[in-house]
Amino acid sequence: MKVSFPYMGSAIVYKKLFEFLEHEVIMPPKPTQRTMDLGVKYSPEFACIPLKMVMGTYLEAIEKGAKVLVTSGGHGPCRAGFYGDTHRNILKSLGYDDVELIIFDAPQDNWKAFFRNVQKIRNGVPWHKVINRMYTLYRFVQKLDELEKMVQKIRPYEVNKGQTTQVWNQIQEKFDKIKTRKELYRVYEECKQMLLSIPTRKVEEKDIIRVGIVGEIYVVMESSINFGIEEILGNLGVEVERSLYLFEWINDNLVPWILRPKRFKEIIKKGQRYIKILIGGHAVETVGHIIDFKERGFDGIVHLMPFACLPELVTQSLIPKISKEVDIPILSLPIDEQTGKANMLTRIEAFVDLLKNRKKGETKEVFIDNIQEHVQEERVVMV
């Protein structure tokens, strides 16, 4: 089968999944303005930006010959649970009746439906090979995420600007060629040394600025949507850590609750201090990670959300209260097809400057109030 998928984050992981299942993989192009324009043209106007961008990605993949599209589903109050059916209906309305869209919901929601989909994409590969290759892929994701976290800690201190990003691109190319677990571990060690060999300047602990990025999974993980915010912050001398990484998402969503990592349960518990009912999306996790980042000594939080995302709007409404109670500055950035990079860059630069001043003890409570006042004003304008 000619298989494709939505582009999000390190897309080579999804490519590797279908290569292991011996499919002909149609790699979707990294989202561009054209992708956005296609998605906006054929999607409902009120839909949030992930639905539109994924729609554009599907259309570009179909142009390249894809006949099967594989995606994840959703559940709960968040509208993401309807994305798959919405995309399927749009594709049919455009005449793509020969394109199949396979939607994977969480296995614990419906085990039978989940395994029916597994059978569809297994492609006749013997089960013992499937299990072995999926374990290799599991470790593949783990090692790639470990290297990405190293990138986020090295980039702020690189001597030669842009070198870390260049090495990271080379690492992804190397991982794309991996075929066996033995090769994976060898390449991982090579790539680790590549990162450690990058010349960096020494920085005293008191001068280190750490920022956590939280929010809806697509805008947090896909750099083409968030304008490469991790690289922007890194170039401004800031260490970055996301609330969401693919390996952790796999453990948190595909593993039965009783076997899930203790850390995931702790994050949920922290988030439930402010959001006590199920409202869908990543709202509870977003709040939980804000508290966790503060407890781990981070200096600030950037909250990314698709404009009109209902779960993250609830989170945004709580941010002034959370910011004051846990004493951490939070910058909330709504994103849609109208968002401009220059505006976002200006706000991020101002945010980082204020974090540095706060670190020096030059400002504290006034800074928090000003940031939240700005967010509140923006919310009023947008509504």
Side-chain angles (χ1 to χ4, degrees), residues 70-75 80-85 102-106 109 249:
V70 183
T71 186
S72 60
H75 64 278
F82 297 102
Y83 282 7
D85 290 328
I102 299 175
I103 306 168
F104 275 88
D105 288 309
D109 291 343
W249 183 89

Side-chain angles (χ1 to χ4, degrees), residues 127-139:
W127 278 108
H128 70 279
K129 289 187 178 180
V130 171
I131 294 171
N132 180 62
R133 292 173 185 177
M134 290 307 100
Y135 180 72
T136 299
L137 183 68
Y138 181 75
R139 293 303 175 193

